[in-house]
Amino acid sequence: MIKPYLSVVAVLLIVLNGLLLIPATSAYTVPIALFGLLLAFFVLVLSFRAGPKATSASIAAPAPTLATLPPPVIATNQAETEIVAFFALLQDKGRLVDFLMEDLNAYDDARVGAAARVVHQGCGEVLKEYFKITSISEAEEGSQVVVPAGYVADQYRMIGKLGGDPPFAGKLVHKGWKTEYVKLPRITKTDRLPAIAPAEVEIG
Amino acid sequence: MESVAQTSELAADQVSARFSLGIDLGTSNSAVAVEDFETGRAAIVEITQLLGPNRIGEKVTLPSAIYVPHADEFPEDGLRLPWQEKGSGPIIGNFARDHGALIPDRLVTSAKSWLSNFHIDPRKPVLPWKSDIKEQKLSALECSRRYLEHMKEGFLYAERAEGRTWNITEGQIVITVPASFDEVARNLTAEAAQAAGFGKVILLEEPQAAFYAWMAQSGNDWRNQVSPGDIVLVCDVGGGTADFSLIAIAEKEGNLEVERISVGEHILLGGDNMDLALAYALNAQLEGAGKSIDRWQFLALVHAAGNAKVSLFTDLGLHQIAIAVPSRGSSLLAKTISTTLDRAMLEQIILDGFFPLTSVSDLPQESRGAGLREFGLPYAADPVVSKHLARFLRRSLTNVKASETQGALVKFQALEGEYIKPTAVLFNGGVFNAAPIRHRVLDLLASWNDGIPVRELQGFQPDLAVAKGAALYGRNRATGKGIRIKAGTARSYYIGLESTRPAIPGFKPPIKAICVVPQGMEEGSELLIDEQEFGLMTGQPADFRFFASEVRSGDLPGQIISNAERELEETSRIEVTLPAVEGFPEGQTIPVVINPMVTELGNLELWMKHTRSDRRWKLEFQLRME
């Protein structure tokens, strides 16, 4: 049973982690990480306070009628709606949210591997379809490279000892990724956050 | 009553067209290409479509799928396309296909094949087939109209977004149809296009479109790749259908001439069958290992099998691909089932199952049992593409030999033996993205040709060639430039004649038929079949049986075939009612002869012409129902 606040927090955590991966936010790594920690702590506290309640009390009871009221209107904006829609896409094609919401510790690597294939195949299709992802540096990782003066700041991150004036010479640790375009589906209705995955009911 | 009105069609056709639009109205996927005469721009039009409720995006293909939603199924206004006032009614394209897989009762696919299905009236709303939904069902004709309308609006929307405000009437519209479509199915396609707001369109056979695209792609190099005497097999296997044509290369006054000399039958067999076959084999493998999957997982398995097939056929170094099939529940880790597709299994199912090295005398089983009819569509009873190809090449030989002019186009060697020997192959269709499948077809043709290799034309584009070729053909027509494939009608057509023999109990006399349209009848030409006069009574509907053949290139207009049911294929009925008008009072018998014409746009029309005046009446094609 997932409590409502859990999904909100999970989405926030995912967004925060995503932000950490974007080179442009590198200046805010510490505050983002701190906020993430706080959130996690908050969830931990809540989960202890709520405690496990009656679990399977309704075996012979009739099927519960699902809520038909419209969900409460959450003030939102275009960007938030779109990020949720993007998760919906990754979930629909590659079951990403299912994967991330599960507890990996309960399973051996073979099972994790099988699930990873589903995620890899589906999310990979999404990346290929809606982005054009290429590496930033064409050099081989581990080789010596020179980052020229006037390099695009969000495309290179210097680590180790940074001083003096560019060009900077060093060892390529990660070749970097960029996308040449984004062609995500347009969301035509943005008055509330869409579902990441609808609850599915099989009839007949 | 109508009078001759041939010139009005020409107006939109050749006067001041500013662009041409090539539309590949496919069985499983459709695509649109544009050629802008003013800028020379040639491009594939990305078609705006629903990707989910409240989600729209652009894709290079529009899946030919229609989903009929339940009234409560989606949020209000969630299905609206940018060019629509409100978004209700059937969904078309990507989302329709994906969502419809989960609710198959509401999904229509392969509507195009229903146009050439003689057992179901394409104007009758029966689709989704055998579904008991309460909503209004659609006819095959209406489905085609909706796909075409979507592509028209999508094109105008995409062009407007880039500041080009075309009017659709300023375009030369070319819609491709399978070479295997007969006149009835072609006329229905043209009718759907007109109803979709395209006006008069030109129809082009898909294999020819692929050939135009190949000529354009190769630039001037195509002239080096073929030479006079060559016979090119256009081998087109798409998602749901296989379509073959032969194109002869000849020389006339120092110029290369290209002529389509033979077309195949409509074969409902394609890449989708291959993915399904793989999925069934993988399912058996899973069951052997004590695992079972439900029908939702089976859908995921078909998808995964298709992907694995592509990977193994692309990267020949791989030995196997692991396949993971999730359950539909949220527990991905506990319920994902895995198996593997290895290369030996893939080759056994795809190469040896669909493209085995059979002999050229090994023909497809023709049993069309009751079990197959249940599906509504006449799916190929025999899944072996090799055998269908053998049948096509054998029938082509019969056809080419039947006429001296066609026989003269073909080198003597090609006509020796039991089938016509192609010297080159142009592949088309997604199936041939896989090099091993192309190689297998080439091996097959070489094995029939005493080991002499048949070459593959270089520079084919398996996925979007048909739309591109159609747009290019539209440009060539509108500007009068560029090479044209000589084609004409792909079949000869016949009208059944009532027997004049005295009736004998227990004996049904054979139906005679008169040839009214010879094979290869060219655009903008007409004939008068005065060998046979018919007496039609005004006010009374008269109908005739209508037959066709794609293997009788030698039949001349007016020629009588003594046993139509044995020699020809019945395709439809044709009907005409002569209204009583001035000079032709009700109940009078009027002597008429048949006056066939092929319009400038390539559409076949049959008229009944009064023998003593210029009055004439058009015959309408009716479907033959069983």
Side-chain angles (χ1 to χ4, degrees):
Chain A
M1 242 213 301
I2 293 174
K3 291 156 201 80
Y5 63 82
L6 265 185
S7 12
V8 175
V9 172
V11 170
L12 276 173
L13 278 173
I14 291 165
V15 172
L16 287 172
N17 276 308
L19 281 174
L20 282 177
L21 290 175
I22 301 170
T25 63
S26 56
Y28 306 102
T29 305
V30 175
I32 291 172
L34 269 179
F35 186 54
L37 270 176
L38 268 174
L39 262 182
F41 188 68
F42 172 64
V43 176
L44 194 68
V45 171
L46 274 183
S47 68
F48 278 122
R49 283 186 48 189
K53 286 204 180 125
T55 43
S56 53
S58 57
I59 293 167
T65 303
L66 301 178
T68 51
L69 289 172
V73 176
I74 305 166
T76 180
N77 63 39
Q78 180 87 16
E80 286 170 347
T81 312
E82 278 173 359
I83 188 79
V84 176
F86 181 51
F87 274 118
L89 195 60
L90 293 170
Q91 161 68 15
D92 183 41
K93 303 284 183 201
R95 312 289 294 271
L96 181 68
V97 179
D98 285 342
F99 183 72
L100 295 176
M101 297 301 278
E102 264 195 294
D103 176 13
L104 283 197
N105 295 329
Y107 301 97
D108 62 18
D109 281 2
R111 299 228 63 102
V112 176
R117 285 191 191 282
V118 174
V119 177
H120 185 266
Q121 173 78 43
C123 294
E125 276 174 33
V126 171
L127 288 195
K128 276 192 210 96
E129 193 154 3
Y130 299 101
F131 301 83
K132 190 179 180 195
I133 296 183
T134 53
S135 60
I136 290 171
S137 171
E138 272 156 29
E140 223 170 283
E141 288 180 8
S143 66
Q144 289 296 313
V145 291
V146 175
V147 181
Y151 65 90
V152 184
D154 71 307
Q155 293 205 342
Y156 288 90
R157 174 164 53 204
M158 309 303 150
I159 57 174
K161 244 163 69 180
L162 180 60
D165 296 321
F168 299 119
K171 188 176 79 172
L172 183 68
V173 181
H174 190 295
K175 60 186 174 181
W177 297 114
K178 65 176 191 301
T179 183
E180 283 170 25
Y181 57 74
V182 180
K183 257 178 45 178
L184 283 170
R186 294 189 295 288
I187 309 304
T188 51
K189 210 171 174 128
T190 55
D191 55 345
R192 61 178 191 82
L193 294 177
I196 295 178
E200 215 164 89
V201 181
E202 183 177 356
I203 303 170
Chain B
M1 196 197 318
E2 288 183 54
S3 57
V4 184
Q6 227 178 311
T7 42
S8 62
E9 284 184 348
L10 276 170
D13 185 20
Q14 276 161 354
V15 177
S16 75
R18 295 172 66 198
F19 65 93
S20 76
L21 206 58
I23 299 182
D24 173 5
L25 181 60
T27 311
S28 31
N29 282 293
S30 296
V32 184
V34 63
E35 296 237 357
D36 183 337
F37 302 164
E38 284 153 24
T39 62
R41 174 181 63 109
I44 288 288
V45 179
E46 299 205 342
I47 306 164
T48 301
Q49 54 197 288
L50 278 173
L51 303 178
N54 291 319
R55 269 163 231 187
I56 52 177
E58 282 73 35
K59 305 260 177 195
V60 290
T61 57
L62 179 75
S64 307
I66 292 188
Y67 180 81
V68 183
H70 185 278
D72 295 328
E73 198 175 356
F74 296 112
E76 207 183 324
D77 210 33
L79 305 177
R80 196 174 65 83
L81 289 162
W83 54 82
Q84 289 174 331
E85 286 284 309
K86 56 182 181 127
S88 55
I91 308 168
I92 294 172
N94 212 275
F95 180 54
R97 179 195 62 193
D98 291 358
H99 184 68
L102 304 175
I103 309 183
D105 246 16
R106 294 179 170 274
L107 176 69
V108 183
T109 53
S110 300
K112 176 170 143 182
S113 293
W114 291 88
L115 288 185
S116 59
N117 180 346
F118 305 124
H119 309 292
I120 306 291
D121 185 348
R123 297 172 198 279
K124 209 167 145 190
V126 293
L127 303 176
W129 182 241
K130 292 214 163 160
S131 152
D132 47 16
I133 56 168
K134 299 278 186 295
E135 287 81 357
Q136 175 64 51
K137 289 194 178 185
L138 304 164
S139 69
L141 184 67
E142 173 64 8
C143 290
S144 292
R145 186 195 71 77
R146 283 175 186 262
Y147 296 141
L148 289 165
E149 185 183 63
H150 188 121
M151 287 187 274
K152 184 194 77 180
E153 297 296 339
F155 162 70
L156 293 173
Y157 177 74
E159 293 291 294
R160 275 188 207 120
E162 295 189 16
R164 288 181 291 270
T165 48
W166 305 117
N167 192 324
I168 205 74
T169 54
E170 297 171 310
Q172 172 86 72
I173 316 296
V174 180
I175 297 177
T176 61
V177 289
S180 53
F181 261 20
D182 67 8
E183 281 308 322
V184 180
R186 287 171 64 101
N187 275 349
L188 286 165
T189 307
E191 187 183 329
Q194 189 139 27
F198 275 120
K200 300 267 184 191
V201 298
I202 298 169
L203 301 177
L204 176 67
E205 291 164 16
E206 287 158 13
Q208 286 190 47
F211 197 83
Y212 280 112
W214 170 76
M215 285 194 285
Q217 166 87 5
S218 320
N220 275 329
D221 182 53
W222 78 268
R223 289 166 203 277
N224 304 326
Q225 288 202 50
V226 291
S227 48
D230 262 335
I231 298 173
V232 179
L233 165 68
V234 184
C235 187
D236 182 355
V237 183
T241 52
D243 202 5
F244 307 120
S245 284
L246 288 180
I247 289 176
I249 312 291
E251 191 169 9
K252 199 176 175 187
E253 291 152 11
N255 291 320
L256 282 186
E257 275 205 337
V258 183
E259 180 168 353
R260 189 262 291 111
I261 55 170
S262 177
V263 300
E265 299 157 287
H266 200 62
I267 307 166
L268 288 181
L269 176 61
D272 298 344
N273 303 55
M274 298 172 198
D275 292 351
L276 264 180
L278 282 177
Y280 279 117
L282 289 169
N283 193 20
Q285 187 170 289
L286 282 169
E287 280 172 356
K291 303 172 194 167
S292 72
I293 59 174
D294 61 28
R295 62 179 171 139
W296 311 118
Q297 286 173 295
F298 187 77
L299 291 176
L301 182 63
V302 175
H303 186 72
N307 284 331
K309 175 190 76 179
V310 170
S311 302
L312 283 170
F313 275 149
T314 308
D315 183 349
L316 299 180
L318 288 173
H319 295 298
Q320 58 179 41
I321 294 275
I323 287 181
V325 185
S327 79
R328 284 203 75 81
S330 69
S331 176
L332 194 62
L333 288 150
K335 292 187 180 157
T336 295
I337 288 174
S338 353
T339 184
T340 54
L341 174 65
D342 62 43
R343 183 168 294 281
M345 182 174 169
L346 175 78
E347 289 181 349
Q348 188 207 332
I349 291 166
I350 304 296
L351 296 181
D352 300 340
F354 289 89
F355 299 94
L357 293 169
T358 49
S359 132
V360 74
S361 53
D362 205 347
L363 302 180
Q365 293 171 0
E366 282 190 75
S367 75
R368 293 262 164 97
L372 287 156
R373 280 285 166 75
E374 263 193 348
F375 291 104
L377 281 179
Y379 290 109
D382 196 319
V384 180
V385 179
S386 310
K387 295 181 186 175
H388 289 284
L389 185 56
R391 178 176 159 88
F392 166 67
L393 293 174
R394 293 175 77 95
R395 288 172 67 87
S396 297
L397 180 71
T398 313
N399 185 47
V400 170
K401 273 188 168 172
S403 120
E404 278 182 19
T405 45
Q406 286 222 344
L409 279 172
V410 172
K411 272 189 194 157
F412 175 66
Q413 296 90 321
L415 297 177
E416 277 185 332
E418 29 180 0
Y419 74 103
I420 197 159
K421 297 187 177 84
T423 53
V425 186
L426 176 65
F427 288 109
N428 192 52
V431 164
F432 294 115
N433 275 317
I437 300 182
R438 297 202 302 276
H439 293 154
R440 175 52 72 91
V441 172
L442 293 171
D443 287 349
L444 180 70
L445 291 169
S447 78
W448 293 345
N449 195 19
D450 301 325
I452 303 161
V454 175
R455 68 186 188 282
E456 177 187 349
L457 296 185
Q458 299 302 311
F460 85 116
Q461 325 151 68
D463 289 317
L464 297 164
V466 169
K468 288 181 192 163
L472 184 82
Y473 174 73
R475 191 185 69 188
N476 287 359
R477 271 191 76 115
T479 59
K481 291 178 188 147
I483 195 159
R484 289 263 293 272
I485 300 172
K486 207 164 155 248
T489 51
R491 292 167 185 72
S492 44
Y493 292 93
Y494 309 81
I495 282 183
L497 300 173
E498 279 172 49
S499 177
T500 49
R501 281 203 249 177
I504 302 164
F507 174 75
K508 198 168 150 255
I511 301 284
K512 284 198 292 185
I514 181 166
C515 177
V516 292
V517 177
Q519 199 184 105
M521 186 168 163
E522 289 187 33
E523 289 165 3
S525 68
E526 63 179 300
L527 294 167
L528 218 50
I529 314 294
D530 47 16
E531 284 84 351
Q532 179 79 35
E533 209 175 278
F534 296 84
L536 297 190
M537 197 181 281
T538 48
Q540 294 269 329
D543 74 321
F544 303 89
R545 292 173 74 177
F546 193 53
F547 299 86
S549 172
E550 78 265 9
V551 293
R552 300 180 65 93
S553 65
D555 287 356
L556 299 171
Q559 191 170 328
I560 304 286
I561 310 299
S562 56
N563 190 340
E565 283 168 326
R566 196 180 63 204
E567 304 291 336
L568 310 169
E569 288 155 50
E570 186 160 13
T571 64
S572 69
R573 302 194 77 88
I574 44 178
E575 198 181 74
V576 66
T577 304
L578 275 51
V581 288
E582 207 194 325
F584 299 94
E586 175 105 30
Q588 188 186 340
T589 301
I590 299 177
V592 290
V593 290
I594 295 171
N595 171 205
M597 59 180 281
V598 180
T599 67
E600 284 296 331
L601 298 180
N603 299 327
L604 174 65
E605 291 177 359
L606 290 177
W607 299 77
M608 285 290 191
K609 186 178 169 298
H610 188 216
T611 50
R612 290 189 287 274
S613 76
D614 280 339
R615 286 224 144 125
R616 55 182 200 166
W617 297 266
K618 194 173 172 188
L619 289 155
E620 299 294 341
F621 294 102
Q622 301 292 326
L623 267 288
R624 173 174 64 99
M625 293 311 148
E626 288 186 351

